Amino acid sequence: MALHFYNTLSHKLEAFAPLDDDKVRMYSCGPTVYNYVHIGNLRAFTFQDILRRYLHHCGYELYHVMNVTDVDDKIIRDSVKAGKSIGEFTAEFRKAFEEDAATLRLEPPERVTPATEHIGDMIDLISRLAEKGHTYESKGSTYFRIASFPGYGKLSNLDVSGIKAGARVEQDEYEKDELRDFALWKASKPGEPAWDSPFGPGRPGWHIECSAMAMKYLGESFDIHTGGVDLVFPHHENEIAQSEGATGKPFARFWLHAEHLLVDNQKMSKSVGNFYTLRDLLDKGFSAAAIRYLLASVPYRKQLNFTFDGLKAAQTSIERLRNFQRRLEEGGLPEGANPAITELAETARKNFIAGMDDDLNTAQALGAVFEFIRDVNTKMDAGEFQAGNVAEANQVLDLFESIFDVLKTEQSGQVSAEEIEGLIAERLAARKARNFARSDAIRDDLKARAVILEDTPQGTRWKYGA
Ligand code: AMP
Ligand code: ZN
């Protein structure tokens, strides 16, 4: 099976190929920078990172654009509260977002760009919609008339027979299933930031920014649009209406939506208050690698129920991978190559790729890697793993790492291999000198730092683990 994605627009699994031969043009709805992002948001961004990396693995070049929403109702409200200009206020949280993304090793999209630098593009798009009869004005604001766009509802499978003509909504966010004309341009209110426009002074609605920015950089039709499931309606439905209403051409071809991260079976969200930021979890001593692993390990179309046990299990999985990697580095293996291992490595690679090809099934991909590690560990214990097999085993780990990227990073607080080797040598010397108090202290100290020593007839071995 070649690469397939579940396309929210067609409501089915489809084989993926870009419009251009080898270049994928992709747009992602970025963060609203009025606060620190929480790990629910970061799940959506981690999914995008996994998608990017796998598209690269498939040989595609990428042009990926992400907006930063730096003007909306919440930003205006909170910047006023903080006594700052919206520019000052959002700069701080944009920087924090970029730091968090880097900590989680999320590759930056080729272009990340703020809404406020594209007000002119939004005004142009609204003017095009006005010329085509998709807009009307009311009390200084300009609205999109959803009854004027026959395709409205096709993404979210919404029954639009109940559209109430003229029912309008001003807010950037509104209730699900509220079928209402939405604001493209909002009349300026006292104390709010405003830009001049042919429709009077005001500011853009939230939805128009993504249509304008996506089409500016990616063209009127492009390959992939991503976001969290909460954006399907109304945000993405409205993006389609605005874009296709203006151009008459299909907007994004593939729509990929990441399911929610839940806490106690409720969506993690700022408004409910049940959220953790990345910083909260790092402060509790969890490593960025474990958080990344947890977010990536559940296939993106499945809900992910966040628990601390899940995070600890992610940590243990990484330790298993690291211990296996170290075993490969240990040397002292018999000469030659065992063809049974070559076959296991081939199967692991094939299953990993089959999983990822199937709508980025990361759980299946991980299953392939852990099955391989289990089988190879058994062969190693039996002395059936040979020097000539090391490279192919490493290739399996490299394939895993090119997507998951959790092995290279030093974990916060983790003892380095060099320090461990040094302490093992010191412990050996202490034992030779019959200083057992010292040798036991070294072992206990390492245990407290999640390193386990094992004395074998061949010498002292160590592994990461609690
Ligand atoms: P926002 O900053 O609210 O615009 O959201 C940024 C991204 O995070 C969007 O793609 C949302 O759909 C996504 N998102 C928000 N909450 C969650 C959650 N609990 N789980 C997964 N994704 C989320
Ligand atoms: Zn958007």
Side-chain angles (χ1 to χ4, degrees):
M1 179 154 129
L3 181 57
H4 280 64
F5 293 132
Y6 180 84
N7 185 351
T8 312
L9 184 60
S10 66
H11 316 290
K12 59 176 197 272
L13 198 67
E14 278 184 66
F16 174 77
L19 281 171
D20 292 347
D21 273 359
D22 48 11
K23 186 165 188 170
V24 175
R25 284 173 291 150
M26 168 158 114
Y27 184 86
S28 298
C29 292
T32 306
V33 282
Y34 74 110
N35 209 322
Y36 294 104
V37 290
H38 56 63
I39 56 161
N41 303 125
L42 289 169
R43 185 199 189 187
F45 298 118
T46 303
F47 145 67
Q48 280 153 30
D49 182 63
I50 299 291
L51 171 62
R52 281 183 57 90
R53 287 168 186 254
Y54 197 62
L55 288 166
H56 271 145
H57 168 89
C58 294
Y60 295 121
E61 202 189 317
L62 278 182
Y63 189 45
H64 179 196
V65 176
M66 185 170 85
N67 67 313
V68 173
T69 301
D70 62 347
V71 56
D72 87 333
D73 295 344
K74 288 178 285 196
I75 289 171
I76 293 169
R77 179 194 70 197
D78 291 359
S79 61
V80 169
K81 248 191 247 163
K84 290 184 178 164
S85 71
I86 64 166
E88 258 180 301
F89 180 74
T90 56
E92 181 188 339
F93 293 114
R94 179 170 174 188
K95 185 164 163 279
F97 171 73
E98 281 162 5
E99 285 167 5
D100 288 352
T103 303
L104 278 187
R105 302 184 69 76
L106 307 181
E107 291 179 353
E110 280 62 35
R111 184 180 286 269
V112 181
T113 183
T116 50
E117 287 176 16
H118 298 79
I119 304 287
D121 301 299
M122 299 182 215
I123 292 174
D124 290 348
L125 185 57
I126 299 171
S127 302
R128 277 173 84 181
L129 287 167
E131 274 162 34
K132 294 202 165 182
H134 289 296
T135 69
Y136 62 91
E137 193 260 18
S138 170
K139 295 190 187 136
S141 293
T142 298
Y143 293 88
F144 187 96
R145 189 192 306 279
I146 59 178
S148 73
F149 182 71
Y152 198 86
K154 65 182 173 184
L155 183 73
S156 50
N157 250 349
L158 206 69
D159 173 13
V160 294
S161 57
I163 300 180
K164 277 202 233 99
R168 290 184 291 277
V169 64
E170 264 271 334
Q171 290 89 337
D172 289 328
E173 289 178 279
Y174 52 102
E175 286 303 307
K176 239 187 151 35
D177 301 333
E178 252 187 3
L179 212 53
R180 292 178 179 220
D181 295 340
F182 56 91
L184 295 164
W185 190 258
K186 302 177 176 201
S188 58
K189 293 195 187 119
E192 288 192 352
W195 287 264
D196 281 331
S197 85
F199 343 101
R203 64 183 169 95
W206 169 40
H207 311 299
I208 196 72
E209 76 180 73
C210 288
S211 290
M213 292 162 87
M215 292 200 288
K216 173 171 179 146
Y217 296 111
L218 301 173
E220 293 178 343
S221 298
F222 58 94
D223 299 303
I224 302 179
H225 195 311
T226 74
V229 280
D230 53 326
L231 301 185
V232 175
F233 180 84
H235 184 52
H236 290 164
E237 199 70 74
N238 292 350
E239 277 189 44
I240 292 176
Q242 295 163 149
S243 310
E244 298 188 357
T247 68
K249 294 182 193 149
F251 181 51
R253 301 165 55 237
F254 282 77
W255 288 82
L256 273 59
H257 289 103
E259 256 298 345
H260 284 145
L261 183 133
L262 310 178
V263 185
D264 296 328
N265 296 313
Q266 204 181 3
K267 177 189 169 194
M268 180 174 281
S269 83
K270 299 240 171 71
S271 50
V272 180
N274 60 348
F275 66 90
Y276 294 104
T277 63
L278 181 61
R279 288 142 208 256
D280 292 337
L281 298 182
L282 295 173
D283 287 347
K284 286 183 189 292
F286 292 101
S287 68
I291 299 163
R292 177 179 165 91
Y293 184 98
L294 177 67
L295 297 179
S297 61
V298 175
Y300 76 97
R301 289 183 58 235
K302 282 213 165 88
Q303 293 183 334
L304 193 170
N305 195 29
F306 174 81
T307 62
F308 285 101
D309 282 346
L311 202 45
K312 284 179 200 144
Q315 187 70 59
T316 307
S317 299
I318 296 174
E319 276 158 12
R320 268 187 78 196
L321 287 152
R322 286 213 169 108
N323 286 330
F324 180 70
Q325 196 175 33
R326 275 199 336 93
R327 242 185 135 175
L328 293 177
E329 286 161 8
E330 258 168 16
L333 295 165
E335 284 307 303
N338 179 351
I341 305 282
T342 310
E343 207 171 294
L344 287 174
E346 190 47 43
T347 305
R349 276 206 303 275
K350 249 186 13 222
N351 290 344
F352 185 96
I353 286 165
M356 294 302 288
D357 274 350
D358 183 11
D359 199 24
L360 307 179
N361 188 338
T362 47
Q364 185 182 328
L366 288 173
V369 174
F370 282 107
E371 197 175 308
F372 176 71
I373 291 180
R374 194 198 56 208
D375 292 348
V376 172
N377 272 328
T378 310
K379 297 273 186 210
M380 282 173 159
D381 295 343
E384 291 167 14
F385 186 89
Q386 294 166 278
N389 297 123
V390 171
E392 56 207 16
N394 271 322
Q395 276 167 19
V396 174
L397 286 183
D398 289 347
L399 175 61
F400 160 84
E401 189 66 352
S402 69
I403 307 293
F404 287 88
D405 199 358
V406 290
L407 298 179
K408 282 190 290 289
T409 43
E410 267 310 310
Q411 296 181 63
S412 66
Q414 184 170 290
V415 201
S416 71
E418 206 181 344
E419 189 183 346
I420 298 169
E421 303 287 357
L423 286 167
I424 288 176
E426 198 188 322
R427 178 167 168 265
L428 189 66
R431 280 166 64 155
K432 281 205 177 123
R434 307 195 69 74
N435 182 353
F436 297 113
R438 176 67 191 141
S439 79
D440 287 352
I442 290 173
R443 194 195 53 220
D444 294 347
D445 172 52
L446 281 171
K447 185 153 189 277
R449 295 160 79 192
V451 177
I452 295 167
L453 300 188
E454 231 173 49
D455 293 315
T456 74
Q458 290 79 39
T460 305
R461 285 176 145 197
W462 64 270
K463 63 181 185 184
Y464 292 120

